[in-house]
Amino acid sequence: MSGMTQPTKVIGFLDFFGKWDPTLAFVIAGAVGVHAFGYWFMKKRSKPFFTQFFQLPTVQSIDAKLVIGSVLFGVGWGLSGYCPGPAFASLVGFNGGVYVFVGFMLLGMFIESKLGRKK
C-alpha cells in the first residue's frame, strides 16, 4: 500500500532536486511513532518478555566504519530504490533487479561478518 516495494516510488522520494514525492514521509513518520512508543514502553519494564535482560547499544561515537556503512547503505538505496526490508518483500514479485540487489546485499553482509568485527 505504501509503495516501499516500488523502486520508482522510493527514488522519487529521494529526488529532492527533481520531481520530489514526499508521500513516503508518512510511512517514515508512522515507523518512528511506533518505535517511539515501543521504546517508551520498553524503558518502563525491568526486563524483556522473552529474555533475561535488554541488549541496548552502548557505543555512542561516530567512527569511520559507521560513516562508510551509512554511505554504502544510502548509495545502494538511492541507486536501486530498495531498502533491505522492502527488498525481501519484493522477492515474491519475480523482478530480476531485486534478486541482484538482495544477492549483493547478502554478499556485503557475509563480507562484513568475516572482516568487519575483530573480537
Side-chain angles (χ1 to χ4, degrees):
M1 279 174 73
S2 69
M4 286 296 291
T5 59
Q6 300 170 9
T8 54
K9 182 88 164 167
V10 175
I11 291 171
F13 176 71
L14 297 172
D15 187 8
F16 296 112
F17 303 110
K19 288 187 152 191
W20 184 54
D21 179 3
T23 56
L24 290 183
F26 294 104
V27 175
I28 294 168
V32 168
V34 169
H35 174 77
F37 175 75
Y39 194 79
W40 171 81
F41 181 74
M42 178 212 58
K43 286 295 213 177
K44 295 201 171 287
R45 299 189 47 79
S46 61
K47 73 180 205 85
F49 288 115
F50 302 112
T51 190
Q52 295 301 315
F53 56 92
F54 290 108
Q55 296 180 19
L56 299 174
T58 57
V59 177
Q60 296 183 356
S61 62
I62 297 174
D63 61 0
K65 285 175 59 174
L66 177 64
V67 172
I68 292 168
S70 300
V71 168
L72 287 172
F73 178 88
V75 168
W77 188 26
L79 290 175
S80 69
Y82 287 111
C83 190
F88 279 113
S90 297
L91 288 173
V92 298
F94 303 109
N95 175 354
V98 74
Y99 291 109
V100 172
F101 174 82
V102 170
F104 277 105
M105 181 179 70
L106 293 173
L107 176 64
M109 292 167 69
F110 174 77
I111 291 170
E112 194 282 331
S113 74
K114 296 298 179 195
L115 303 177
R117 294 187 199 116
K118 304 284 185 196
K119 292 184 180 182

